Amino acid sequence: MAKTTALIPEQRRQQILRHLRMEQVLSYRQITELLGISQMTARRDVALLAEQGRVRATQGGATLVTRLLNEPRRAEKAVTGLAEKTAIARAAAEMVTDSMTLYLDAGTTVQAMRPFLEERTGLTVVSNDLSTVLAFLDHPGVDLISVGGRVDPDNQSTIGRLAALTLAELSLDIAFLSSSSWDARHGVTTPVEAKIEAKRAAMASATTTVLLADSGKFGSYAKYRVLSLDELDTVVCDLALDDADAERIEALGVDVVRAPVA
């Protein structure tokens, strides 16, 4: 197996996740050989991924966590996968034209679309994400709608029935959804039941539904199903999503956009 060279830390961790999806279990020796790194670096990367709930550290290496038990806190998500999030957000923003009405779901990947929408005019941006709402306050060409509801402090967003009722009263051109767990079998899932209603309501109100999710989240699932992948129109991911996985998703009638990292 060829070594992966000249990777920044987050890219290394994405590569570890990619290899774990193929092998399920990796020893530290295998990780060092695959990525061309020291065993100390491999242990640090595995420890961080374990803290994020993405892998389970074993005595001699790591195994893939396929069930997501807890949603990562916003602060944790804000500092991981930045290059991939930027690439995904840039590709997603290319789908937006002037005068559209958009739903931007809670999540750091969706929020990353903000700088790429600077030149759009006449937009209506609807979001349940408190940080995303703040990010658009200075946009000169946006009519901004903040979705109310019960506040989830860990995710800094509004959730539940009240949020869903607001979204049901709107007509959206595109709903950009986020997720911390998704795969071809289970679809888009969440460990937080109260998040389901808002996502479903946004999808029901939208002409087009687009999932923004990096490849590191693919292959994991949580307790509650939000939607099946065949209910989506498009998935925007990064290039690390395997060809075979992309083909499985496309076979469901979903367009797959794999955005290159700059």
Side-chain angles (χ1 to χ4, degrees), residues 83-98:
E84 288 77 12
K85 289 175 182 177
T86 299
I88 292 168
R90 181 187 294 110
E94 292 177 359
M95 302 178 185
V96 179
T97 59
D98 291 348

Side-chain angles (χ1 to χ4, degrees), residues 179-241:
S179 180
S180 293
S181 54
W182 66 295
D183 71 2
R185 178 182 178 187
H186 299 92
V188 175
T189 55
T190 177
V192 183
E193 184 181 9
K195 290 187 174 184
I196 298 173
E197 282 191 285
K199 292 179 187 289
R200 295 289 309 180
M203 185 170 63
S205 296
T207 301
T208 301
T209 303
V210 180
L211 175 68
L212 309 188
D214 67 68
S215 60
K217 299 170 184 173
F218 185 80
S220 61
Y221 65 96
K223 184 186 303 184
Y224 301 105
R225 177 177 292 186
V226 179
L227 55 95
S228 300
L229 292 192
D230 59 9
E231 296 180 80
L232 296 166
D233 295 290
T234 303
V235 170
V236 184
C237 192
D238 55 89
L239 278 178
L241 183 70

Side-chain angles (χ1 to χ4, degrees), residues 12-13 16 20 26-50 55 57 60-62:
R12 286 199 314 268
R13 294 163 197 144
I16 291 172
L20 277 171
L26 289 174
S27 67
Y28 288 120
R29 180 183 59 80
Q30 288 174 304
I31 294 172
T32 60
E33 291 176 353
L34 286 166
L35 275 68
I37 58 178
S38 69
Q39 188 164 129
M40 182 178 295
T41 298
R43 289 180 180 274
R44 282 200 302 263
D45 285 344
V46 167
L48 182 57
L49 289 169
V55 306

